[in-house]
Every structure is written in C-alpha cells, then in structure tokens.
Amino acid sequence: MSKGIISKDEDYSQWFNDLVIKADLAEYAPVRGCMIIKPYGYSIWEKMQAALDKMFKDTGHSNAYFPLFIPKSFFSKEASHVDGFAKECAVVTHYRLKNDGEGNIIVDEDAKLEEELIVRPTSETIIWHTYKGWIQSYRDLPLLINQWANVVRWEMRTRLFLRTTEFLWQEGHTAHATAQEAVAETEQMLEVYADFVENWMGVPVVKGRKTANERFAGALDTYCIEALMQDGKALQAGTSHFLGQNFAKAFDVKFTTKEGTLEHVWATSWGVSTRLMGALIMTHSDDAGLVLPPKLAPIQVVAVPIYKHDEELENIRTYIKGLSAELRAKGISIKFDDRDTQRPGFKFAEYELKGVPLRIAIGSRDMQNGTVELARRDTRTKETVTQDGLANHIEQLLEDIQTNIYQKAFKFREENTTEVDTYDEFKRLLDEKPGFLSAHWDGTPETEQRIKDETKATIRCIPLNNKQEEGKCILTGNPSTQRVLFARAY
C-alpha cells in the first residue's frame, strides 16, 4: 500500500505530498491553490475541533459566526492590519453573471457592487464593527467569542494543509475592561494551544513571543508555539495576540466603567488552522505511512480476521463483538474489517498507511489458543497476547503509544536544537544540520531582516522560558542579553 510514496530522506517535500494523497487525507481541488479534504482527513480535523472546542468552552468562551464577506471600508480603519493582509485579499466586485448570447457565461458589467467586498482573510474588522453594538458597559465584559470558519488568503505558492488559498480554522476574539485582563487572556490561550498540541497531537512545542517584524498585523504583542518537523524546519502551530486598544479605537468600541467614565476596551485574538494537520503528519509519520496519536486517530484499533471458512469467521466475529463492547465502554474506537474483497496482507498495509495505532490479527488457531496478535504502528512491533483482560491491555498500549510518539518527537527536537555563537557556524549548521538554532541577536529589526535575507532563517520566537545571559549578536557583534530561536520555516 505504501508503494508510490517516496522516501522522506530522498525528498521530504514530495514524501509529504505523496503521503497526504495516498493516505486519503486530501487532494487538489480544481481551483488553483485549494484542496478537498477527504473523509478520513476530515475526521482527524473533527477530532481536533472537538478537543479544542471543549477547551475553549471550559475556559468560558462561546461560539458565534460572522459573515464571510467584509466591506472594503472596514479594512481602512486599522492601517497596520490592512497593510498586513492587502496583498492576500480576494475581492468581490460584481454580484451577477449573464449569458452573452453565444452560450458563454460572463460577468454582468451592470451588476457592479457599490462597495467592493473582501472575502474573509481574518475577521477582526467585521467582529469589532459588531462589538460596537454589543458592548456598552463593564457589565458586558469580558466578551469571549470563538468562531469556526473558513478563510481565504491568496497564496502564490501553495501546499496541501500547510499553505492553501482557502483553509479551515478557528479564531477567538475577546474584549476586556483592562490591559491586564487582555494580556492574561492572551497567555491563557497560548497555554490552551500548547496543551492541545503536546497532549493530543503528541507534538512538543516551544512557547514564545514574536519579534516586531513577525508580529500579527495590528497586534501589540504576539505569542506563539513553534514545532520542529523531521526535516529540521520549524512550523508555527498557533498564535495568540494582544491587540491593545487598536481595534477598539478604530471601530470606536467603548464601555462605561464602574466609576462612570467612558473608555475603549482591550482586545485579543487567537487562532489555529488545518495547518495543524500538516504538523501532525510531518512530526510523526514515516516511509510506510501515517503515524497517528491514539487521541486523534479516527480508528484507534482495527481487527483483521484470518479465516478459511465462514464458520471460523463467525466465531471470530462473535469474539470481536464482545471485545468491541468493552473497548467502546472505555471510549476506544475499533473497526472490524471483515471485507472478503481484500486479503489480510492488503489490509495490514492499508491500515499501516493510514496510521491506525493498533492492529489486531486473529485467526482460527488464535481462537483455539485464546490469543491474538497485536501490532503497534509507532514501533512496528508485534506481540502475541492472551485474550484474557485484552481490553485493559489495549487501553494501556494506546496510552503507551501516545506517550511514546511525543517522547520520540521531543528527543528529535532536543537533538536538533543547537546553541551557536558565530555567524559562520550559524550558516554552516543551517545547511548541514537544520533545526532550531539558539543564538544571540541585538534586538534590531534591521539585523533580523539581514539574517533572513542572507540565510532564509527567521526568528521563530523569543522563548518564554529564556534565561538571561550576556552575549554578542552573531551578525553585528553588538551586546545581547538573551538567545532567540532561529530556523528556516514552513
């Protein structure tokens, strides 16, 4: 089944693309830069959504939905925001088509919109326009809203899940009475994202702050989580922004305080997208296919019967039915693949490709001996175990697999994070041993931009757990008090 997937050591980019398509996660759409997320891929996204949505609601947030189309004039109200997204915006100029009389469909030139509409690249502007009507008093605060939606950013170079013209995401937008409350919200949501990515996806992250050059357009401060992929490139897995009062002032969102004064509210926004699917694939998978964490796998356990006669199949089916009931009572999903159109070997390869964490193989001899064969996807090891207490054993194995894939990824990140003190060493390691490079930087945007132009490496973040240490910037030699994390990135 894995035939047709190039080795990741030979061509990592092509390996990723092959795997997304062969594992039935997504395919290219007829619209350039867009993708079709197939049922198996979407079921992983649904599990991500469900876990995150619970986390959001547990921290007091509610879901809402805002329009896909945003009046162009809204963008002009926050200058730095429009500058950040202007080159990526899709614009609707007309509202009708017509037949030209020769069988062709054309745009009706008489149906031009009075005001052009922007297809949502992000929703700050329309949400803050709305919040003006929702917020009048301190009693209306905090306002904690999340939206699950699609967005459009016109990308020139696209890749499935990682960078597409249209993608799915969630975006949180909150309003607060004080700056301190807004900063606390920004930090809380960063922790929520880190918790999800590490404990559900099994992907270790570095929590940090973005430099001014890398900050979200319109934000005063951007917090992020950064992950390291198997090719040594970084991937930004989530961001949380402290917006200050920029959007409140742009849309005149004020509230009456307890003391009776009128003040602008303080804001945050935060989001993750289907880009997390790319992170999941690139962190754990191998040349044989996907490796999925049990918590997010659409199928956690698959049982494949091996039989010659229908009577043997029925005996196996009866046993698996009882086992399935025990597993489902523990919240574990299991599929019994009794298709007679494919041989067991084909099924083994298929589920390996799709990253099912645990496979049960059971034949008539196993039924006589009271055993089954268990195969782990993460280690590709097999063991024969007794049927007694099997549900409990499987439950423990899935926990072990979840832990193991995280620890493996963590070990990889640690082995590929290097402290560097000279620019020559920095450039050499970027080519010879790509990964996170921890280096001193003098704090100027000019130095940051020059390093990016010369090496294609960017400052991924200023880690939150940074220790203060005296040093010299790797490029200019100017004094520095802490290291920052550089990498080439997706």
Side-chain angles (χ1 to χ4, degrees):
M1 285 296 297
S2 58
K3 187 177 181 181
I5 299 177
I6 197 168
S7 167
K8 60 185 173 69
D9 292 332
E10 183 177 344
D11 187 334
Y12 192 84
S13 178
Q14 187 61 47
W15 164 81
F16 173 79
N17 203 59
D18 289 347
L19 186 48
V20 169
I21 292 170
K22 295 288 184 180
D24 242 11
L25 299 179
E27 63 183 38
Y28 291 103
V31 180
R32 184 183 178 276
C34 293
M35 65 177 172
I36 297 164
I37 304 176
K38 300 180 79 172
Y40 192 67
Y42 199 80
S43 63
I44 299 172
W45 175 242
E46 284 181 314
K47 296 197 81 168
M48 289 182 169
Q49 275 186 301
L52 282 166
D53 202 60
K54 184 178 186 304
M55 290 178 172
F56 299 157
K57 287 171 180 171
D58 286 348
T59 46
H61 302 84
S62 299
N63 288 329
Y65 186 79
F66 297 85
L68 174 66
F69 302 113
I70 302 171
K72 188 177 73 173
S73 59
F74 285 17
F75 278 81
S76 63
K77 293 186 178 184
E78 216 296 325
S80 61
H81 187 67
V82 71
D83 286 346
F85 286 101
K87 294 180 180 179
E88 299 177 343
C89 287
V91 185
V92 180
T93 58
H94 292 73
Y95 62 85
R96 188 169 59 220
L97 302 173
K98 69 177 183 179
N99 194 306
D100 67 355
E102 299 179 2
N104 300 310
I105 299 297
I106 62 172
V107 174
D108 187 343
E109 63 274 10
D110 295 326
K112 186 173 176 61
L113 291 170
E114 288 185 17
E115 180 177 3
E116 293 162 337
L117 299 173
I118 308 301
V119 182
R120 172 176 56 217
T122 182
S123 298
E124 276 79 5
T125 55
I126 196 160
I127 285 177
W128 280 93
H129 173 83
T130 305
Y131 282 2
K132 180 176 173 58
W134 289 6
I135 299 170
Q136 281 83 40
S137 163
Y138 69 90
R139 296 182 183 88
D140 300 320
L141 300 173
L143 183 59
L144 309 175
I145 300 295
N146 175 64
Q147 171 176 241
W148 291 97
N150 62 335
V151 291
V152 171
R153 296 179 185 175
W154 215 260
E155 298 280 0
M156 300 308 294
R157 299 178 64 186
T158 59
R159 295 187 64 188
L160 294 170
F161 287 120
L162 297 175
R163 195 173 294 278
T164 50
T165 298
E166 180 195 17
F167 56 90
L168 305 181
W169 79 343
Q170 60 74 212
E171 50 181 320
H173 298 272
T174 70
H176 304 267
T178 67
Q180 291 79 7
E181 289 178 15
V183 169
E185 165 77 4
T186 308
E187 293 172 344
Q188 173 185 246
M189 298 318 295
L190 184 77
E191 293 297 330
V192 167
Y193 287 153
D195 180 12
F196 171 74
V197 174
E198 292 197 332
N199 294 314
W200 286 77
M201 293 176 59
V203 177
V205 296
V206 177
K207 293 178 283 190
R209 296 166 66 181
K210 289 291 189 182
T211 64
N213 276 8
E214 296 290 327
R215 196 177 292 154
F216 177 72
L220 298 187
D221 212 351
T222 290
Y223 294 77
C224 63
I225 50 174
E226 296 285 332
L228 189 66
M229 304 297 99
Q230 291 181 75
D231 63 345
K233 285 186 179 180
L235 186 142
Q236 179 180 283
T239 51
S240 184
H241 315 289
F242 171 53
L243 302 177
Q245 294 177 310
N246 289 350
F247 286 92
K249 289 178 179 178
F251 290 89
D252 196 30
V253 182
K254 296 178 179 178
F255 73 105
T256 304
T257 68
K258 289 181 180 180
E259 294 73 31
T261 59
L262 202 59
E263 296 183 7
H264 287 102
V265 299
W266 298 83
T268 81
S269 68
W270 30 271
V272 295
S273 73
T274 39
R275 189 175 173 84
L276 290 180
M277 293 283 290
L280 187 72
I281 296 161
M282 291 196 294
T283 301
H284 302 307
S285 301
D286 58 29
D287 290 347
L290 297 175
V291 176
L292 297 178
K295 286 185 178 181
L296 295 177
I299 305 166
Q300 293 172 304
V301 182
V302 63
V304 177
I306 301 170
Y307 63 95
K308 293 181 179 178
H309 309 292
D310 289 346
E311 184 179 348
E312 293 174 350
L313 174 60
E314 285 308 310
N315 288 337
I316 295 169
R317 191 196 310 278
T318 299
Y319 169 71
I320 294 296
K321 184 177 180 181
L323 176 64
S324 298
E326 289 185 69
L327 291 175
R328 287 174 183 140
K330 295 176 177 291
I332 297 169
S333 63
I334 179 171
K335 176 180 179 179
F336 180 51
D337 189 346
D338 60 350
R339 290 176 296 169
D340 60 5
T341 55
Q342 303 292 353
R343 298 179 64 84
F346 178 93
K347 296 176 185 179
F348 292 169
E350 178 182 19
Y351 293 115
E352 183 174 61
L353 174 61
K354 291 197 167 187
V356 176
L358 196 62
R359 185 187 76 227
I360 301 172
I362 181 168
S364 56
R365 184 172 298 176
D366 294 300
M367 291 298 294
Q368 292 169 8
N369 296 336
T371 61
V372 300
E373 180 189 81
L374 296 179
R376 287 175 57 152
R377 178 62 186 90
D378 61 325
T379 58
R380 303 184 78 183
T381 56
K382 300 175 185 178
E383 62 173 340
T384 299
V385 301
T386 178
Q387 294 177 8
D388 294 336
L390 183 57
N392 290 334
H393 184 61
I394 287 173
E395 183 179 34
Q396 185 59 55
L397 270 181
L398 292 175
E399 291 177 6
D400 291 347
I401 292 169
Q402 184 80 31
T403 300
N404 181 59
I405 64 171
Y406 173 82
Q407 290 177 340
K408 182 180 178 183
F410 183 82
K411 182 173 182 283
F412 176 84
R413 190 191 73 186
E414 293 302 291
E415 291 174 348
N416 290 276
T417 300
T418 310
E419 287 192 357
V420 296
D421 294 308
T422 69
Y423 197 42
D424 286 341
E425 183 186 19
F426 181 87
K427 291 186 287 185
R428 178 180 62 79
L429 285 173
L430 277 173
D431 293 324
E432 294 180 6
K433 188 190 175 186
F436 283 139
L437 298 181
S438 179
H440 281 279
W441 162 61
D442 62 15
T444 68
E446 293 79 14
T447 297
E448 181 182 5
Q449 187 62 45
R450 184 178 158 193
I451 292 172
K452 180 180 179 179
D453 292 342
E454 292 180 3
T455 69
K456 297 183 180 178
T458 56
I459 298 176
R460 302 314 305 159
C461 68
I462 304 167
L464 294 183
N465 63 352
N466 248 6
K467 61 182 180 181
Q468 298 296 302
E469 64 171 47
E470 297 299 324
K472 293 183 178 180
C473 174
I474 55 168
L475 180 64
T476 64
N478 292 334
S480 165
T481 59
Q482 63 179 344
R483 293 178 183 272
V484 298
L485 217 53
F486 287 88
R488 290 177 178 149
Y490 286 98

